[in-house]
Amino acid sequence: MKIEIERREDTVHLDSITLESGKVLNNVSLRYERVGNKDLPVVLICHALTGNHVTVGTSEEPGWWNGFIGYDAPVDLNHYQVITFNILGGCGGSTGPASPLNEELNYRLTFPFVSVRDMVTAQHQALEKLGINKVRAVIGGSLGGMQVLEWGVLFPNFMDQLFVLAATPSLSDYGIAFNRIGIHAIEQDPRWDEGNYVKSSDVKGFEVARMVGLVSYRSPSLFTKRFSREEKEIEADEFPYYQVESYLRYQGEKITKRFDPNSYLYLLYAMNGHDLGRGRGGIEKAANIIEAEVIGLGFTGDLLYPPKDIKSFIDLTSRGYFHKIETAFGHDGFLVEYEKWGPIIRGHLAERIPN
């Protein structure tokens, strides 16, 4: 018999937040999902670039980490409750470029730059407003993993464990290069209109940005295995056209139906600018600030966050463990194949379960 998961979506309202830049953002809202028994220890989940706060979701509309979180799942709701926020700057209900600035206008490009540190600071304030002053663990992959690292440095006593999946303390030049192609595609699209587009679907450069991102998230072998140069017939078209091209176009069009182009831009810039060692004397000194146990997971074929770079950082921490996951999915390995790496998360979490 399947146990019904206790689940709630709600919004935390903050009067203001002072950003890393020194600017003050007023009337901030953070949308969140909270699942499980509220009397149990909290596991905080941080989402990636185009994710949102809905990690578990419902049977009709499953969340993006449904299956990883649940009863008897790697993050076991028999032992923990789970909270996920839509990040500051996102477009899933939290304050961001698509949010109202006043009764007539949305922020759009008047929204201030938001760093990964700002995202974490906002979540920390929101948790305190919910009456939560300590969490059992913080878990996240990619941009979510960047947030996890910032949690460990900004609030070293706030958690027992940090789980960093497919993320490094700063984005490589290679990763920045891919993001720049996406940024350029959006900003040079005349239909973007300096952020004042009418509909997301009008911004074809947004579709290109998403296609570029998808190519960087998956390994070449996975593309080959999945598509095998299979052609797709198009009536009255003399040029060759392949299933892989059709897939990328579909995914590009799909993102415009659920995500805001300006938010996508802001989050790409936040990823590019993230550097755990900035203003802290470098990454090694930042690593020494972390008091929690740090568990890093690297995924083979990850072009953006190579496993060796993750391990190099984990080796700098005082209580670090690194696991290399063999996968054909590359960077996207942190979103799938829970059977390969879920037991690792479960095992490390279990070390802290009271007898």
Side-chain angles (χ1 to χ4, degrees), residues 28-44:
V28 173
S29 296
L30 288 188
R31 190 72 176 167
Y32 69 93
E33 177 192 64
R34 189 172 187 172
V35 296
N37 185 335
K38 289 185 178 181
D39 293 328
L40 293 175
V42 173
V43 170
L44 178 69

Side-chain angles (χ1 to χ4, degrees), residues 3 19 61 81 125 133 145 153 174 180 203 206 212 224 279 289 312 341 354:
I3 303 174
L19 303 175
E61 296 185 37
Q81 61 168 305
Q125 288 186 23
N133 300 306
V153 177
Y174 191 71
R180 169 43 58 183
V203 187
F206 187 20
V212 169
T224 300
I289 298 173
S312 294
W341 54 269

Side-chain angles (χ1 to χ4, degrees), residues 47-52 85-92 94-97 111-116 118-119 123 142-144 146-147 171 175 179 183 186 206 217 255 258-274 305:
H47 72 74
L49 174 61
T50 61
N52 55 27
F85 290 99
N86 180 224
I87 54 177
L88 183 67
C91 55
S94 293
T95 300
F111 194 73
F113 171 73
V114 171
S115 70
V116 177
D118 295 329
M119 298 171 191
Q123 291 173 53
S142 193
L143 174 55
M146 291 178 170
Q147 294 169 63
L171 186 59
N179 282 352
I183 291 168
I186 294 173
F206 187 20
Y217 301 154
I255 194 68
R258 71 174 183 87
F259 214 84
D260 174 60
N262 284 340
S263 184
Y264 195 84
L265 278 177
Y266 272 77
L267 299 186
L268 288 182
Y269 276 120
M271 293 176 72
N272 284 359
H274 180 241
Y305 304 92

Side-chain angles (χ1 to χ4, degrees), residues 38-238:
K38 289 185 178 181
D39 293 328
L40 293 175
V42 173
V43 170
L44 178 69
I45 302 293
C46 300
H47 72 74
L49 174 61
T50 61
N52 55 27
H53 60 289
V54 185
T55 53
V56 175
T58 64
S59 55
E60 293 78 19
E61 296 185 37
W64 56 271
W65 250 357
N66 183 288
F68 174 62
I69 302 163
Y71 290 102
D72 300 319
V75 179
D76 192 345
L77 294 179
N78 289 301
H79 301 292
Y80 316 104
Q81 61 168 305
V82 173
I83 296 176
T84 308
F85 290 99
N86 180 224
I87 54 177
L88 183 67
C91 55
S94 293
T95 300
S99 301
L101 173 60
N102 52 46
E103 293 182 0
E104 298 179 357
L105 300 171
N106 292 344
Y107 275 103
R108 296 185 182 268
L109 295 194
T110 65
F111 194 73
F113 171 73
V114 171
S115 70
V116 177
R117 295 180 192 180
D118 295 329
M119 298 171 191
V120 171
T121 298
Q123 291 173 53
H124 181 259
Q125 288 186 23
L127 285 173
E128 288 190 321
K129 198 157 187 179
L130 291 173
I132 297 168
N133 300 306
K134 176 88 173 181
V135 300
R136 171 67 184 74
V138 187
I139 306 176
S142 193
L143 174 55
M146 291 178 170
Q147 294 169 63
V148 172
L149 290 170
E150 284 294 345
W151 267 105
V153 177
L154 285 170
F155 307 103
N157 299 311
F158 199 79
M159 76 297 295
D160 297 318
Q161 290 177 308
L162 299 166
F163 291 88
V164 184
L165 285 66
T168 49
S170 61
L171 186 59
S172 67
D173 290 282
Y174 191 71
I176 293 172
F178 272 107
N179 282 352
R180 169 43 58 183
I181 296 171
I183 291 168
H184 192 76
I186 294 173
E187 293 183 339
Q188 297 307 307
D189 187 336
R191 289 154 297 196
W192 178 62
D193 190 23
E194 299 295 327
N196 296 307
Y197 48 86
V198 178
K199 296 186 299 182
S200 295
S201 57
D202 292 338
V203 187
K204 298 304 178 184
F206 187 20
E207 297 179 14
V208 175
R210 181 59 170 171
M211 286 190 272
V212 169
L214 284 172
V215 171
S216 71
Y217 301 154
R218 302 286 176 88
S219 69
S221 62
L222 188 69
F223 272 91
T224 300
K225 182 178 180 180
R226 178 169 181 177
F227 299 107
S228 301
R229 284 186 55 84
E230 181 182 350
E231 290 196 54
K232 185 176 179 66
E233 292 185 7
I234 297 181
E235 191 173 341
D237 193 335
E238 62 180 300

Side-chain angles (χ1 to χ4, degrees), residues 330-342:
H331 181 63
D332 269 358
F334 80 93
L335 293 171
V336 295
E337 297 185 315
Y338 309 140
E339 70 280 1
K340 287 187 175 181
W341 54 269

